[in-house]
Amino acid sequence: KVFKSGDDQLLYQILLPQNFSIDRKYPLLLFLHGAGERGSDNEKQLVHGAKFLSSEENQSKYPSIIIFPQCPSGDFWSNAEVKEGTGGGRLHFLDGGKPNQAMSLVVSLMDSIILNDFIDKSKVYVGGLSMGGMGTFEIVNRRPDIFAAAFPICGGGNPNSVSRYAEKTSFWIF
């Protein structure tokens, strides 16, 4: 699918549960991929995690809607700067400011999907790998009232932002 906001667009795939019905309520999971899966093919974002999350076993035990957006090449899921130094680059996470384009589109996409009556608003989750782990911290910081829980994998975030969401969202950090 393609989510459009003004002149901007975000590619994404959506997994609906088997026997999906608009008359039921489902948990919603946003999964953010790592830097290696950026692009415009709307497939690379499925490389890590999608097979596991969409397996018949998991979907029969945990029927849910899963969103897999694809960050465009050259963009990032979070506001961070690379500071060059001895031994390579180091990420510096910015505190506040407007979200970059990819994150802004993901936030808008989630806002539009959550409006559906078939979404269980008490069971909205986010997770991600590497750059997606960073994006997990970023989106929860920007929208702490949406997410029940988050699971960043190999990602960092701005420690100064934790107070905005620490008491609202449960985290399982890898």
Side-chain angles (χ1 to χ4, degrees):
K1 294 193 174 254
V2 178
F3 176 76
K4 294 183 180 183
S5 178
D7 293 333
D8 299 323
Q9 66 179 27
L10 179 71
L11 300 174
Y12 71 100
Q13 293 213 24
I14 184 168
L15 173 71
L16 298 175
Q18 295 174 355
N19 304 314
F20 172 79
S21 169
I22 61 170
D23 297 324
R24 288 189 55 198
K25 293 219 180 261
Y26 298 95
L28 174 63
L29 170 63
L30 170 66
F31 189 81
L32 301 174
H33 63 77
E37 293 75 51
R38 290 181 285 194
S40 58
D41 66 354
N42 202 15
E43 290 186 18
K44 275 198 256 180
Q45 76 268 33
L46 302 175
V47 169
H48 302 291
K51 188 174 181 179
F52 172 75
L53 293 169
S54 65
S55 73
E56 189 174 322
E57 179 183 353
N58 279 328
Q59 281 296 304
S60 64
K61 283 184 186 177
Y62 314 107
S64 56
I65 297 169
I66 307 173
I67 306 293
F68 300 95
Q70 185 176 36
C71 186
S73 297
D75 209 338
F76 212 68
W77 290 133
S78 65
N79 280 348
E81 296 175 341
V82 177
K83 301 261 184 175
E84 296 298 330
T86 311
R90 183 178 170 144
L91 286 173
H92 171 71
F93 295 96
L94 305 176
D95 193 14
K98 290 184 178 182
N100 57 23
Q101 183 180 7
M103 180 52 63
S104 180
L105 288 166
V106 168
V107 169
S108 295
L109 171 64
M110 290 300 288
D111 286 346
S112 70
I113 291 173
I114 289 172
L115 292 175
N116 289 292
D117 289 336
F118 52 81
I119 300 296
D120 183 342
K121 289 151 188 67
S122 70
K123 295 181 180 177
V124 178
Y125 309 101
V126 60
L129 175 66
S130 192
M131 179 184 79
M134 296 174 202
T136 298
F137 285 110
E138 178 88 13
I139 197 167
V140 172
N141 177 46
R142 293 189 178 281
R143 303 307 297 268
D145 295 324
I146 290 178
F147 299 99
F151 59 96
I153 305 166
C154 300
N158 187 332
N160 296 329
S161 66
V162 173
S163 63
R164 290 194 273 280
Y165 56 79
E167 294 185 20
K168 298 176 182 180
T169 305
S170 296
F171 272 78
W172 195 14
I173 301 171
F174 297 88

